[in-house]
């Protein structure tokens, strides 16, 4: 799925049997790219990258679940095998390290054999700004679904890659041993929803498009107004 994105190109490719959204964001002038949450189906991702002649500068991970990070290792290997510069692998917050280290075990639980544990070059940190492919992505720590979940927000392009925190009309699961429902709602209300009150770019509305980990895209204004989990 191609998505209109100011100044950049964005394609969202569903991967794994969970149909998780892997986002490939790139600069049409330089062909430099960012991949967010490559959960699997790496051959499909590499075919897209090759077909568009992209150079991946960074692989970003919102959280440590298998469908979001299970393809990180294979994607990095595939890019290096193409004699491309190795991309930096960033995120999530270090509190998800235990999940990144157990992806293969998670996968076997679902009968999946081609997903691997993920290693990062460094963990993301709340408040930092990542600059790759001509894009500036602000890091927000938004725990609740997992302890180390982060979101990557482009405040100029008005897009937020939120993983499994917020969806159209609902929110992420918290029925894991490490989940925390009240914390998740607080994370959304305190970290994500206020973003629409910050000044937007000169030629774009202040609302922000939400790219969730699954399902349709939405906006922060839409969810603030109508999401039943965010009332009160």
């Amino acid at each position: 799925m191609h998505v209109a994105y100011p100044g950049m190109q964005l394609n969202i490719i569903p991967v794994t049997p969970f149909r998780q959204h892997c986002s490939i964001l790139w600069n049409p002038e330089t062909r430099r790219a960012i991949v967010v949450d490559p959960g699997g189906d790496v051959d499909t991702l590499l075919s897209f990258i090759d077909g568009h002649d992209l150079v991946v500068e960074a692989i970003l991970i919102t959280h440590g679940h298998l469908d979001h990070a299970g393809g990180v290792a294979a994607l990095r290997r595939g890019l290096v095998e193409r004699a491309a510069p190795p991309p930096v692998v960033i995120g999530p917050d270090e509190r998800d390290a235990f999940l990144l280290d157990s992806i293969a075990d998670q996968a076997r639980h679902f009968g999946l054999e081609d997903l691997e544990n993920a290693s990062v070059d460094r963990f993301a940190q709340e408040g930092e700004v990542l600059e790759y492919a001509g894009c500036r992505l602000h890091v927000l720590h938004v725990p609740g679904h997992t302890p180390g979940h982060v979101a990557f927000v482009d405040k100029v392009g008005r897009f937020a890659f939120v993983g499994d925190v917020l969806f159209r009309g609902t929110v992420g699961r918290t029925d894991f041993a490490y989940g925390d429902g009240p914390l998740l709602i607080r994370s959304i209300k305190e970290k994500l929803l206020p973003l629409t009150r910050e000044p937007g770019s000169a030629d774009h509305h202040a609302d922000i498009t939400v790219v969730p980990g699954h399902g349709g895209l939405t906006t922060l204004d839409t969810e603030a107004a109508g999401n039943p989990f965010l009332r009160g």
Side-chain angles (χ1 to χ4, degrees), residues 21-183:
H21 289 164
C22 174
S23 296
I24 301 180
L25 178 65
W26 80 94
N27 186 311
E29 295 182 2
T30 66
R31 317 306 292 182
R32 300 283 173 168
I34 301 166
V35 178
V36 182
D37 283 354
D41 294 333
V42 170
D43 287 345
T44 299
L45 302 181
L46 288 170
S47 178
F48 183 91
I49 290 165
D50 291 343
H52 290 78
D53 194 27
L54 304 180
V55 176
V56 177
E57 291 188 345
I59 297 172
L60 309 183
I61 311 169
T62 60
H63 65 292
H65 282 161
L66 76 165
D67 53 329
H68 291 256
V72 168
L75 178 59
R76 193 177 191 278
R77 278 199 309 272
L79 294 171
V80 171
E81 288 169 0
R82 285 158 169 75
V88 62
V89 179
I90 300 176
D93 177 275
E94 63 183 343
R95 279 162 278 200
D96 265 17
F98 75 102
L99 290 170
L100 297 176
D101 291 340
S102 64
I103 288 174
D105 288 338
Q106 297 175 43
R108 280 191 289 272
H109 178 75
F110 291 100
L112 302 173
E113 300 294 337
D114 58 346
L115 304 183
E116 303 174 49
N117 294 351
S119 298
V120 300
D121 293 307
R122 67 179 182 83
F123 292 100
Q125 296 186 11
E126 164 77 21
E128 72 172 311
V129 181
L130 306 175
E131 298 191 44
Y132 296 100
C135 188
R136 291 170 51 88
L137 296 173
H138 295 252
V139 176
L140 298 178
H141 180 220
V142 281
H145 179 67
T146 68
H149 202 304
V150 298
F152 302 105
V153 182
D154 181 347
K155 294 185 179 182
V156 175
R158 313 307 287 170
F159 270 76
F161 301 91
V162 303
D164 287 353
V165 169
L166 179 64
F167 301 96
R168 182 190 291 175
T170 189
V171 298
R173 291 177 56 184
T174 58
D175 57 337
F176 308 107
Y178 47 79
D180 188 326
L183 178 59

